[in-house]
Amino acid sequence: MTETNKDVLLSMKGLRIEGRADEEWTEIVKGIDLTLHKGEVLGLIGESGAGKSTIGLAAMGFARDGCRITGGEITFDGIDLRAASERERRGLRGKRIAYVAQSAAASFNPAHKLIDQYAEAPVRHHVMSRSEAEHDAVDLYRRMQLPNPEEIGFRYPHQVSGGQLQRAMTAMAMSCRPDLIIFDEPTTALDVTTQIEVLAAIRDIVEQFDTAAIYITHDLAVVAQMADRIKVLLRGEEVEEADTRIMLDAPTQDYTKSLWAVRSFTRPTQPPVEKGVTPVVSVRNVTAAYGVIDVLTNISFDIHARRTVAVVGESGSGKSTTARVITGLLPPRRGEILFNGEALPPDYRRRTREQLRQAQMIYQMADTALNPKLRIRDLIGRPAQMYLGLQGKALEDRIKDLLSLIELEPGEYIDRVPSELSGGQKQRIGIARALAAEPQFIICDEVTSALDQLVAEGILKLLDRLQGEFDLAYMFITHDLATVRAIADEVVVMKEGLVIEAGPKLEVFQPPHDPYTELLLSSVPEMDPDWLTHLLEERDAGRAGADVEPAGH
Amino acid sequence: MSHIWIMIAKRLGLGVVTLFVVSLIIFLGTELLPGDFAQEILGQAATPETVAALRERLGLNDPMHIRYINWLTDIARGELGVSLANGQSVSDLIGRRLGNTLLLALYAAAIAVPLSLMLGILAALFRNSFFDRFANASALTSISFPEFFVAYILIFFLAGAGGVFPSISNFRTDPSFDEFLYRAFLPALTLTLVVTAHMMRMTRAAIINLLASPYIEMARLKGMSPMRIIVKHALPNALAPIINVIALNLAYLITGVVVVEVVFVYPGLGQLMVDSVAARDMPVVQGVALVFAAAYVLLNLTADVLATLSNPRLVHRR
């Protein structure tokens, strides 16, 4: 054995995995080779369906229910994982190979305290006694920079925030000091500002313990910060693999280049609206509450025809609540919504059908927003029928027009049900349904966050084209600032129910910023592999010198 | 924790309201029963005069709402009235029988609840295996037969020629504990067979329902054994539906055992109720019905409280 081979921790050769769908086994991982050295971090990236998670789990000798490993070798530190018995594999899992899941909120057992779940693996694998594990947990919680490391373990998962849970899960994965950790999209469900903290904590701890890791994500900028090497996957096959810097600077394959280029889409910014033009929608001094707690305080902004206003902020900042007030689902406590200069009744039940028709919504989860039992014909046809009174031939023609508009072949798709469509196609149907009412104004609520970048780009282009054709006004709710840069004319930054900053995109994105806007903007990961390091240094320096130079205005 | 006590107080209040509504339904229901107590008890001696006199004496001639209000005020004082048939206090009559019924229910529950939980857990662990199918099939078989049929089969095999257990569990004086266990074994076993299937299948379904959850996958990826995953990770989250089904079946053990009591001549509430209906002894019928209703209300209340306590999200607020 050569010196380099000794360092190999995990190797996969010709890995093949099949998945079961509709009573049929289809190959979802098609012959993947992978080598991971001790202490090395390998980034796996690709769109959904690329097989990233499946490969990550296979590194633990694990296949999800409905999946089976059919070919190839998986060797972990000299142990053939495919030949090993289930009991042997169980002995490795949690002890020498650990897993950090995408949604910590769902992956912590709601019935047990964090500390119990932390201690489970070390105690069960006979690595430590319970009291040692409890002691150790406090240490790791501290290293992961969790607040109150002595006490946080004695809380239940629902008592801890999402970002903290994700760190607690990383600490839990570290509990047996494994040789390898699989990170499966650990920051995808987090806000940008929280994501930074978690990324920094993960990177720190992996370095401290010299743990090898497979870092799975669809976000290139994130993987650039975390990985030493990057492997690009497409539909279960490898596209290419290289060291991070080489991969970022000079990808060789077209597919990789297209991934890299996705963020380049920007549409030309519209000229500023002339003074005196009546906005399509005007939110005036709105204060709204759920129960007795105000969630929106004195919100005001305008949306003009052919303009896109992006409303950005972290979760809980009141973006979606604003949409609920505009659509009349949540009547405001104070303030009003003007539509073309006229006040709308606060409650949607008291709005006329014509008023309802003018404002439509497109939702984040096309999956749940489309009735799975209805055919596309009915999904799109209903609003056309209800608002415009179309019947028979006219209705049929309208549905076909709408399908052509969203670039789906009418003849092929009109009689399908949502489950026969891809994620991007479903979102297109959501758009067609909103268009069917021929509105002047559409609220897009995180419409691209559940989609892969290439697909999302297609949706953004489509929305842009439709805006031009029908003079639509968009309100674009998002936490993704890359999307904002691409499509917004004006930006409204929200935090804790307040508008922090509002104005034309160029102004808001141009320094000097409000401190919160600055925090949001600087937290968006960039493709530069040194970005996170520099940012953390800057913030540390900023904290030290905060008294000298106040940020923002 | 204070919100748990508030919830219990609220539910108790609602329970009283429920019982009040039930008392109204019971009263109206017994009013609709055909036949007349005076007629029934006088039998051959029933002349129009004697019947009228007896009715007068028992207060049966008062208008309906007066009699209802009288009954309610009695209940509020803790008195359920006096049996028309033998002049005994209804509370005393019920008290004696209720003890027997509760004992039998407890006996059956002590076998059935652990048994069905265990079978349910094992069926979930070995899902789709031979064991799972066998347990399911036999449990379903046992509830598919009428209770009296199950009872007779058991009597045939366990009490008939060469059998070990008595087929009649009638005991006149207070039996010793061993004596009770021995005499009431067959009715308890019959009831066990009747209620096990429901609880077992709910346990299995509630657990299997959770096995696709991310936190179960997490436990598997931490290298936990299948048994530990079921018992430690799935079961605590499946408790709420299981507790509710157990409560329903316990209520059934108290209120639904008439047939089994009759077959084994067991001196429980069910028999008392049947006898009293036959004799048109309305105060007793109403009293027993009210006790049954109270059992349902109390058990459901207990189930709700336990289900709440089993959920940390409801016990430990943010």
Side-chain angles (χ1 to χ4, degrees), chain A residues 16-36:
Chain A
R16 291 181 181 276
I17 300 174
E18 291 184 348
R20 197 179 163 86
D22 303 331
E23 306 292 305
E24 228 174 82
W25 291 97
T26 41
E27 204 160 70
I28 51 178
V29 173
K30 302 160 186 166
I32 290 288
D33 296 328
L34 180 152
T35 310
L36 184 69

Side-chain angles (χ1 to χ4, degrees), chain B residues 257-270:
Chain B
V257 295
V258 178
V259 175
V260 175
E261 285 182 359
V262 170
V263 170
F264 291 100
V265 202
Y266 184 89
L269 270 187

Side-chain angles (χ1 to χ4, degrees), chain A residues 188-193 218-219 263 301 303 308-323 361-365 427 442-451 453 456-457 459-460 463 474-495 498 501 505 508-509 516-517 520-521 524:
Chain A
T188 307
L190 305 175
D191 286 318
V192 275
T193 47
H218 66 274
D219 190 331
R263 286 168 181 254
F301 59 88
I303 305 172
T308 300
V309 173
V311 180
V312 298
E314 298 176 45
S315 48
S317 59
K319 305 178 302 248
S320 292
T321 308
T322 308
M361 269 197 88
I362 308 170
Y363 300 87
Q364 173 174 6
M365 305 299 285
Q427 198 53 287
I442 297 182
I443 297 175
C444 305
D445 191 352
E446 302 270 12
V447 287
T448 56
S449 4
L451 301 174
Q453 293 183 26
E457 189 194 8
I459 296 287
L460 293 182
L463 284 171
Y474 287 149
M475 171 173 153
F476 219 94
I477 299 173
T478 183
H479 66 269
D480 180 9
L481 290 151
T483 310
V484 177
R485 281 184 211 276
I487 54 117
D489 299 305
E490 286 168 49
V491 179
V492 175
V493 182
M494 290 186 72
K495 186 194 181 192
L498 290 166
E501 210 177 353
K505 175 173 67 176
V508 173
F509 282 1
Y516 180 69
T517 313
L520 271 186
L521 286 174
V524 179

Side-chain angles (χ1 to χ4, degrees), chain B residues 15-48:
Chain B
V16 172
V17 174
T18 313
L19 281 183
F20 172 75
V21 174
V22 169
S23 77
L24 198 63
I25 295 170
I26 291 172
F27 187 82
L28 292 176
T30 50
E31 284 298 308
L32 291 175
L33 279 181
D36 176 71
F37 174 75
Q39 191 88 39
E40 197 75 21
I41 203 168
L42 290 171
Q44 295 287 323
T47 65

Side-chain angles (χ1 to χ4, degrees), chain A residues 219-444:
Chain A
D219 190 331
L220 297 162
V222 166
V223 84
Q225 312 310 315
M226 308 303 284
D228 302 319
R229 262 188 311 141
I230 295 177
K231 189 195 268 298
V232 182
L233 298 167
L234 175 64
R235 287 184 216 108
E237 284 174 279
E238 177 178 325
V239 178
E240 62 177 318
E241 182 185 324
D243 283 354
T244 300
R245 278 167 203 280
I246 298 174
M247 184 68 106
L248 291 176
D249 292 342
T252 55
Q253 301 298 310
D254 286 345
Y255 174 70
T256 318
K257 286 178 191 157
S258 77
L259 276 181
W260 269 222
V262 163
R263 286 168 181 254
S264 59
F265 168 69
T266 39
R267 53 159 228 179
T269 312
Q270 303 286 320
V273 181
E274 288 167 36
K275 289 236 168 356
V277 177
T278 314
V280 177
V281 171
S282 180
V283 179
R284 291 270 179 91
N285 307 100
V286 163
T287 296
Y290 292 119
V292 290
I293 304 155
D294 278 357
V295 284
L296 292 181
T297 315
N298 208 18
I299 301 285
S300 298
F301 59 88
D302 293 339
I303 305 172
H304 290 269
R306 292 192 73 133
R307 295 293 184 283
T308 300
V309 173
V311 180
V312 298
E314 298 176 45
S315 48
S317 59
K319 305 178 302 248
S320 292
T321 308
T322 308
R324 288 173 59 86
V325 170
I326 294 175
T327 50
L329 289 169
L330 179 71
R333 181 175 285 199
R334 277 188 297 280
E336 58 186 357
I337 306 295
L338 304 186
F339 196 85
N340 288 332
E342 279 175 41
L344 286 176
D347 190 329
Y348 76 95
R349 278 166 289 207
R350 305 189 51 196
R351 294 185 185 174
T352 64
R353 185 163 285 196
E354 180 61 18
Q355 285 168 333
L356 290 173
R357 179 179 74 80
Q358 294 294 357
Q360 295 292 316
M361 269 197 88
I362 308 170
Y363 300 87
Q364 173 174 6
M365 305 299 285
D367 262 332
T368 49
L370 300 179
N371 186 335
K373 297 276 184 222
L374 290 187
R375 302 197 172 279
I376 304 307
R377 175 193 297 282
D378 301 314
L379 285 168
I380 305 179
R382 272 194 189 172
Q385 211 175 343
M386 185 173 112
Y387 289 120
L388 307 173
L390 296 181
Q391 296 291 342
K393 179 83 169 65
L395 181 63
E396 176 96 10
D397 288 346
R398 176 71 184 144
I399 296 170
K400 286 184 175 162
D401 284 351
L402 284 164
L403 281 172
S404 313
L405 267 179
I406 55 165
E407 296 152 18
L408 292 179
E409 176 55 42
E412 191 179 339
Y413 288 97
I414 194 160
D415 281 319
R416 292 202 188 180
V417 290
S419 61
E420 293 167 322
L421 301 177
S422 72
Q425 289 172 337
K426 280 182 215 167
Q427 198 53 287
R428 283 170 190 261
I429 299 297
I431 294 171
R433 180 171 64 178
L435 284 181
E438 298 182 5
Q440 290 180 35
F441 171 60
I442 297 182
I443 297 175
C444 305

Side-chain angles (χ1 to χ4, degrees), chain A residues 82-138:
Chain A
R82 288 197 65 202
S85 70
E86 185 59 24
R87 180 178 287 270
E88 284 173 87
R89 285 194 291 247
R90 273 215 304 273
L92 292 175
R93 289 179 196 146
K95 186 180 178 187
R96 300 198 57 201
I97 316 174
Y99 181 77
V100 175
Q102 171 168 358
S103 163
S107 294
F108 268 115
N109 192 324
H112 301 299
K113 293 177 183 156
L114 296 183
I115 194 86
D116 293 330
Q117 305 191 49
Y118 179 96
E120 188 175 28
V123 171
R124 288 278 134 186
H125 288 301
H126 307 294
V127 175
M128 300 178 203
S129 71
R130 165 82 196 201
S131 61
E132 282 171 329
E134 277 186 24
H135 210 72
D136 186 54
V138 175

